[in-house]
Amino acid sequence: MNESPYEKRRRRAQERHRRSGKAEEPSSSAVAADQDAEVHESARNIVLRQLTASAKSRRQLEDKLADRGVPEDVAMSVLDRFEDVGLVDDAAFAETFVRSRAETRKLARPALRRDLQAKGIDPELAEQALEQRTDEDEQADALDLVRRKAPSGEQLAEQLADRKTRDKLTRRLVSMLARKGYAPGMAFDVVKQVLGESEDDLPGELGSP
């Protein structure tokens, strides 16, 4: 019989533990059948500690349980119960994740989508969460990022005065936006706008009289 994705993760975790010489948790598959209640309680405690530290997707919790050697049937039963009472909710997690990362890291939708996928969020739930973000939101965030990251004053004047250094600055700022998921066209337009505004504010030959 083929291994389930959970069992593959669990086996890889056990192999890592063996290679590192790390002792396995007592709540592993070696636990006897008459200790089933203890295994469930241990799994519940693992999930509660994870959720107390920060919100988690179901997939993240599955990975943690697999890493701790919890048998798949126990892990699924415990997580199903947490879902039933609303303590594990991937839709709510995705909504909060998108809102938080957009506010704190100014990530664009492609980057947020990748992060949600890495956390095991269903693509449909991910798209619903990403509907919070609009093109206008991303434009405003990109402008804010470039204005904060671009040099100012004399340093900016020196870089704008020389074509090569200006091009280098442009590439650096566009690359910064690209790493955060912004489309190349938007990134170039935003950088051009911000540098143009900065140039107009500079005294002397570069700026307005």
Side-chain angles (χ1 to χ4, degrees):
M1 182 181 294
N2 292 332
E3 281 185 313
S4 68
Y6 180 93
E7 283 299 333
K8 288 179 181 177
R9 296 196 296 272
R10 182 169 174 253
R11 178 171 51 80
R12 286 196 295 267
Q14 290 173 328
E15 289 172 354
R16 287 197 304 272
H17 291 321
R18 281 196 293 271
R19 285 197 299 269
S20 66
K22 189 175 180 181
E24 292 195 12
E25 294 293 322
S27 59
S28 70
S29 56
V31 177
D34 61 357
Q35 294 178 290
D36 185 66
E38 182 181 340
V39 180
H40 275 79
E41 183 64 22
S42 177
R44 282 193 290 270
N45 288 336
I46 291 169
V47 173
L48 283 171
R49 285 196 296 271
Q50 290 296 308
L51 293 176
T52 299
S54 64
K56 301 285 193 306
S57 68
R58 176 165 176 140
R59 171 63 178 277
Q60 287 177 292
L61 295 169
E62 284 183 11
D63 287 346
K64 181 56 65 174
L65 292 172
D67 189 56
R68 297 290 292 275
V70 175
E72 182 173 9
D73 60 337
V74 174
M76 298 305 114
S77 174
V78 168
L79 290 174
D80 285 347
R81 178 57 181 159
F82 272 81
E83 280 192 341
D84 289 343
V85 298
L87 292 177
V88 174
D89 184 336
D90 276 2
F93 171 84
E95 293 271 347
T96 302
F97 181 87
V98 167
R99 189 162 54 249
S100 173
R101 288 301 181 93
E103 290 175 356
T104 60
R105 297 186 58 192
K106 306 296 185 184
L107 296 182
R109 281 165 291 187
L112 291 166
R113 186 178 290 109
R114 288 194 298 270
D115 286 351
L116 289 171
Q117 181 181 13
K119 294 181 184 302
I121 299 299
D122 178 81
E124 185 174 342
L125 293 180
E127 293 307 315
Q128 291 173 6
L130 290 168
E131 288 176 0
Q132 298 174 86
R133 302 288 294 162
T134 66
D135 292 343
E136 291 73 20
D137 292 332
E138 292 191 352
Q139 178 89 6
D141 284 346
L143 286 166
D144 180 58
L145 278 168
V146 174
R147 286 166 179 154
R148 286 195 283 114
K149 296 293 185 179
S152 59
E154 186 175 335
Q155 183 183 11
L156 177 60
E158 291 175 355
Q159 293 192 40
L160 293 180
D162 178 75
R163 178 62 180 268
K164 290 182 77 172
T165 57
R166 183 190 184 113
D167 288 347
K168 184 177 179 180
L169 173 60
T170 298
R171 289 194 299 272
R172 179 172 67 81
L173 293 172
V174 168
S175 295
M176 179 270 295
L177 290 178
R179 288 192 297 273
K180 290 181 176 288
Y182 292 89
M186 173 188 282
F188 275 108
D189 289 345
V190 166
V191 171
K192 181 179 178 181
Q193 177 181 335
V194 172
L195 294 184
E197 293 170 351
S198 301
E199 192 172 53
D200 289 341
D201 291 338
L202 291 173
E205 294 182 4
L206 279 175
S208 302

